[in-house]
Amino acid sequence: ALCRYTFRRDGFASFKSGWDESVITTKPFICTGEKMYLNFRTSAAGAIRIRLTDESGNVNDSCEIFGNAVHREIVFDKPIGSFTEKPIQMEIRMRDAEVFSFQFC
């Protein structure tokens, strides 16, 4: 038997969702940085949305994200700068997608 495996650059482990929407909610963490980057992959029908919530209840939503990228900058409704140096919680809603990593810088 012949088997073929592919490894994604910078993506050995992931959170994966099927056709039904999955939600990942992080524990509160301190956001450091003005921009957010995501390593992800979606199918043609899949999508990802990200919501940042600070401890005061202020919310910042991303646009709908789809495609395949190792280091894509995520665009939000408001600048992330207002969320830096504060504890925030991140919620990732995804459908037929994989998220490998995220980074704030």
Side-chain angles (χ1 to χ4, degrees):
L2 177 64
C3 295
R4 178 175 180 243
Y5 295 97
T6 59
F7 287 99
R8 180 182 175 85
R9 188 177 100 197
D10 297 329
F12 188 71
S14 68
F15 289 107
K16 187 175 184 177
S17 72
W19 289 105
D20 295 330
E21 184 178 72
S22 298
V23 179
I24 301 164
T25 305
T26 66
K27 292 182 179 181
F29 62 93
I30 303 293
C31 174
T32 58
E34 300 285 325
K35 297 180 180 181
M36 179 184 173
Y37 296 93
L38 193 65
N39 180 353
F40 71 97
R41 173 175 49 210
T42 70
S43 70
I48 299 171
R49 285 191 174 271
I50 299 173
R51 172 174 279 180
L52 304 176
T53 307
D54 68 11
E55 59 191 356
S56 302
N58 298 318
V59 173
N60 198 359
D61 290 318
S62 74
C63 58
E64 189 171 73
I65 306 155
F66 54 91
N68 185 350
V70 175
H71 191 74
R72 180 178 298 169
E73 182 178 348
I74 304 304
V75 178
F76 285 90
D77 293 339
K78 304 173 228 166
I80 296 179
S82 60
F83 287 80
T84 57
E85 304 302 326
K86 296 183 201 176
I88 63 168
Q89 197 165 20
M90 182 168 57
E91 178 183 273
I92 303 172
R93 294 185 169 274
M94 47 197 244
R95 184 182 69 256
D96 201 22
E98 288 182 272
V99 172
F100 298 97
S101 63
F102 62 89
Q103 177 184 20
F104 290 92
C105 49

